[in-house]
Amino acid sequence: GAALRRTGKPQQAIEQFQRALRVMPDDAETHNELALALSEVGKLNEAVGHWEQAIQLRPEYAEAQYNLGVALWQTGNSQKAIRHWEQAVRIRPDYAEAKNKLAWLLATIAPTEGGDPLRAVSFAEGACQLTDHRVPTYLDTLAVAYAAAGRFNDAIVTAEKAVEVARAAGQQQVVSQVETRLQLYRSGRPYRLPASGTSPNEP
């Protein structure tokens, strides 16, 4: 199943994972893998159910906590997504991608929906430190967090660094997205998620 999923055959992978679960229904890793395959074919609600089972079987399963958070975010449940990413980071303090996702959401949604710019800065700084400030999307998130916290000078400097790193890596789409946000910071405005709850550069 894992081999099929990694070679671009998620539907065939699903069949194998389902067979595996009939033999060993309490295997958390199989539930996680099945959920990943289901998400790849657009069955997010079904995937969520298997990630929930994986976590029920193994609460300290950081990857399943992270993956469930992503699925919940994609289905519009940002507050639950935040809780699962917080769990992923608690379990694995060096989980840079979970810190980045958590920072992005905390920085770009309204406080009434769970947003928290100061915590966003902390998580984003952690993700950048873990990766030696070499990942442009993480730097972008840090700039977004600084702006959300009203630290526009820091946001500008960090966004300019993100552009520099992304350009050197040939990531032109990231360059374009960060430069668009940079204009907001220079005018003293933070970046906020569109009303749809999605982002043009989901980190």
Side-chain angles (χ1 to χ4, degrees):
L4 287 165
R5 189 179 73 79
R6 286 167 177 74
T7 53
K9 300 174 182 177
Q11 190 57 56
Q12 292 171 258
I14 288 168
E15 295 168 7
Q16 296 302 318
F17 291 134
Q18 288 172 335
R19 291 177 64 187
L21 284 175
R22 284 197 288 272
V23 178
M24 43 185 190
D26 294 337
D27 188 82
E29 290 187 11
T30 304
H31 281 288
N32 180 61
E33 288 282 350
L34 174 55
L36 287 168
L38 288 165
S39 69
E40 288 174 8
V41 298
K43 297 181 178 180
L44 269 181
N45 290 333
E46 193 174 343
V48 165
H50 283 284
W51 275 314
E52 288 174 340
Q53 288 183 66
I55 291 167
Q56 185 175 4
L57 291 163
R58 196 200 305 174
E60 300 296 292
Y61 194 170
E63 289 74 15
Q65 294 276 7
Y66 169 80
N67 291 332
L68 178 54
V70 172
L72 289 167
W73 183 18
Q74 291 172 340
T75 53
N77 200 328
S78 59
Q79 292 189 22
K80 282 189 176 179
I82 288 170
R83 289 200 293 273
H84 286 287
W85 288 336
E86 286 173 335
Q87 287 298 315
V89 169
R90 179 190 61 78
I91 297 162
R92 266 187 52 194
D94 64 344
Y95 205 151
E97 183 59 21
K99 287 189 173 186
N100 180 65
K101 280 278 199 297
L102 188 50
W104 179 268
L105 200 49
L106 290 170
T108 56
I109 63 174
T112 54
E113 297 177 12
D116 188 332
L118 295 181
R119 292 184 70 221
V121 168
S122 177
F123 285 119
E125 286 178 339
C128 288
Q129 288 165 5
L130 285 166
T131 52
D132 295 323
H133 295 81
R134 293 178 181 174
V135 179
T137 52
Y138 292 5
L139 290 166
D140 178 26
T141 298
L142 180 55
V144 169
Y146 280 145
R151 296 170 58 178
F152 292 104
N153 287 337
D154 290 333
I156 291 166
V157 170
T158 305
E160 289 173 343
K161 175 66 173 177
V163 168
E164 177 187 333
V165 175
R167 187 170 283 129
Q171 298 177 13
Q172 191 54 46
Q173 184 177 2
V174 175
V175 170
S176 176
Q177 291 163 345
V178 178
E179 286 181 335
T180 298
R181 282 190 270 279
L182 190 50
Q183 295 176 23
L184 291 174
Y185 313 150
R186 287 174 174 153
S187 64
R189 291 179 292 163
Y191 174 78
R192 288 282 182 262
L193 282 179
S196 65
T198 59
S199 164
N201 81 322
E202 181 177 312

